[in-house]
């Protein structure tokens, strides 16, 4: 059976390790699944757009984007959590003299100015006693500026980089970088990424959903327990990143895949407050759809 999974970013990165380990080890094939792992063409939308158009069977996506689509009554649902932490950062350099979020007043902050992105930086700066209206927002679109770009004077800081991925890239010495994960600055807690599908797939082919999740969970557990499997898989799929960067990223991101030793559980204590936060900032019309946005029914039952 052919299955298309659209991943969350412009290229595969370490957060997809469970999928690529499972593919590399042949576990999908052994289960009778011909799985294509691919990424979205941004000119045609994100991974949820592909899922909404039935151009993908499964997709990995940010939890906030799922909640926005659920508010539009799109029949999409998460079936597993990929991450249990926020991945984003505010990134600057020691040379800028910026030592806390409120220091961004009067400075140039690069970000993709989506409603949710603007809400997040406003929240972080305001929580630190700063005035967000005094920040010079630089529209960087989908481009994620690196520490090297800040050091070159392009901007004073950037929002959106992931502390386990692009915050690691570039040539600027680590000692010259300032990287603040947003969940250390007072951001709401949330699942960075979820795995989901159409509600019609859940209803018509629950065996497929359960089988895929069992294999993907096995892949993430293997990536955690045998990191060399993940490194070897990524050398095949993204050979243009160094093994050193891949290993550093895997070391950082692996703990985000599990909560209390379990993989995949979508947690109400993350979904509900985050949905309310998004509603409070006008990103969602209300927080009411969060309970219908996911199911944990297809995850393996933990052994007691």
């Amino acid at each position: 059976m052919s299955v298309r999974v659209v991943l969350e970013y412009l290229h595969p990165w370490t957060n997809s390790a469970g999928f690529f380990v499972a593919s590399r080890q042949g576990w999908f094939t052994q289960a009778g699944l011909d799985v294509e792992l691919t990424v979205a063409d941004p000119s045609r939308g994100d991974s949820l757009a592909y899922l909404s158009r039935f151009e993908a069977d499964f997709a990995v996506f940010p939890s906030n984007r799922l909640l926005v689509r659920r508010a539009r009554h799109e029949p999409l649902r998460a079936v597993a959590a990929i991450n249990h932490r926020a991945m984003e950062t505010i990134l600057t350099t020691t040379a800028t003299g910026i030592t806390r979020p409120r220091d961004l007043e009067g400075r140039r902050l690069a970000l993709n100015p989506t409603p949710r992105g603007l809400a997040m930086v406003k929240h972080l700066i305001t929580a630190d006693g700063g005035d967000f209206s005094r920040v010079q927002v630089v529209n960087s679109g989908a481009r994620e500026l690196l520490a090297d770009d800040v050091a070159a004077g392009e901007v004073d800081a950037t929002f959106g980089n992931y502390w386990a991925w692009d915050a690691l890239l570039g040539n600027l010495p680590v000692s010259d970088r300032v990287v603040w994960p947003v969940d250390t600055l007072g951001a709401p807690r949330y699942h960075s990424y979820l795995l989901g599908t159409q509600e019609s797939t859940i209803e018509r082919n629950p065996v497929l959903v359960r089988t895929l999740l069992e294999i993907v969970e096995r892949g993430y557990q293997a990536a955690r327990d045998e990191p060399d499997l993940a490194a070897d898989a990524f050398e095949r799929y993204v050979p243009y990143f160094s093994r050193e960067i891949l290993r550093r990223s895997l070391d950082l991101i692996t703990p985000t895949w599990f909560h209390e030793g379990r993989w995949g559980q979508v947690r109400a204590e993350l979904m509900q407050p985050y949905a309310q936060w998004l509603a409070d900032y006008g990103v969602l019309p209300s927080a009411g759809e969060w309970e219908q946005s996911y199911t944990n029914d297809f995850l393996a039952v933990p052994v007691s």
Side-chain angles (χ1 to χ4, degrees):
M1 181 180 184
S2 295
V3 177
R4 193 178 198 213
V5 181
V6 178
L7 302 173
E8 71 272 29
Y9 194 48
L10 301 174
H11 57 72
W13 64 295
T14 48
N15 202 37
S16 305
F19 293 93
F20 287 103
V21 168
S23 178
R24 183 68 166 155
Q25 296 301 114
W27 296 334
F28 292 126
T29 302
Q30 291 167 16
L33 300 180
D34 178 14
V35 173
E36 175 191 4
L37 301 173
T38 188
V39 296
D41 175 349
S43 69
R44 303 193 66 249
D46 63 5
S47 59
L48 275 166
Y50 278 71
L51 192 61
S52 185
R53 294 193 299 262
F54 293 93
E55 294 175 5
D57 301 291
F58 295 87
V60 179
F61 43 77
S63 54
N64 58 287
R65 295 187 188 180
L66 173 66
L67 291 167
V68 168
R69 286 182 178 268
R70 289 291 314 192
R72 300 174 189 159
H73 308 293
E74 294 189 29
L76 309 174
R77 187 168 293 200
V79 292
I82 302 295
N83 307 100
H84 294 271
R85 269 196 70 182
M87 303 300 300
E88 293 161 307
T89 68
I90 290 177
L91 183 153
T92 185
T93 68
T94 56
T96 65
I98 296 170
T99 62
R100 56 192 303 165
R102 71 186 185 200
D103 290 344
L104 290 165
E105 288 186 5
R107 309 300 289 272
R108 297 163 299 158
L109 176 65
L111 71 150
N112 187 4
T114 63
R116 185 261 181 193
L118 290 169
M120 183 61 73
V121 293
K122 180 179 181 179
H123 176 93
L124 299 175
I125 292 166
T126 302
D128 192 40
D131 182 355
F132 174 68
S133 68
R134 296 183 58 196
V135 176
Q136 299 176 38
V137 173
V138 176
N139 184 348
S140 56
R143 182 182 172 208
E144 301 287 0
L145 274 68
L146 302 181
D148 292 8
D149 299 310
V150 178
E154 191 166 336
V155 292
D156 300 302
T158 180
F159 164 79
N161 304 75
Y162 289 173
W163 47 262
W165 184 240
D166 41 353
L168 306 176
L169 304 178
N171 298 313
L172 190 71
V174 172
S175 60
D176 294 337
R177 306 181 190 206
V178 178
V179 180
W180 296 322
V182 296
D183 60 5
T184 67
L185 298 175
R189 298 163 63 220
Y190 56 91
H191 294 290
S192 278
Y193 288 104
L194 304 168
L195 170 64
T197 188
Q198 285 272 357
E199 289 187 339
S200 58
T201 300
I202 293 172
E203 295 165 1
R204 297 173 187 172
N205 205 340
V207 173
L208 169 62
V209 179
R210 193 176 304 278
T211 300
L212 184 89
L213 289 188
E214 287 175 352
I215 297 168
V216 173
E217 178 175 6
R218 183 182 176 189
Y220 276 100
Q221 290 172 340
R224 173 193 62 191
D225 298 339
E226 301 181 67
D228 284 344
L229 291 179
D232 290 343
F234 278 110
E235 284 202 344
R236 179 185 184 189
Y237 294 104
V238 282
Y240 35 85
F241 292 111
S242 72
R243 182 173 280 255
E244 178 188 0
I245 286 292
L246 293 171
R247 285 190 178 279
R248 286 170 59 197
S249 178
L250 284 166
D251 286 345
L252 290 170
I253 204 167
T254 295
T256 75
W257 300 331
F258 301 91
H259 175 68
E260 296 181 350
R262 291 193 64 190
W263 180 86
Q265 195 79 15
V266 185
R267 297 158 54 201
E269 66 265 29
L270 297 187
M271 294 295 289
Q272 191 279 329
Y274 189 41
Q276 187 61 59
W277 182 87
L278 291 166
D280 290 345
Y281 275 90
V283 180
L284 293 178
S286 74
E289 276 288 314
W290 73 271
E291 289 181 285
Q292 289 74 46
S293 68
Y294 71 94
T295 177
N296 288 317
D297 292 349
F298 298 92
L299 297 172
V301 177
V303 178
S304 58

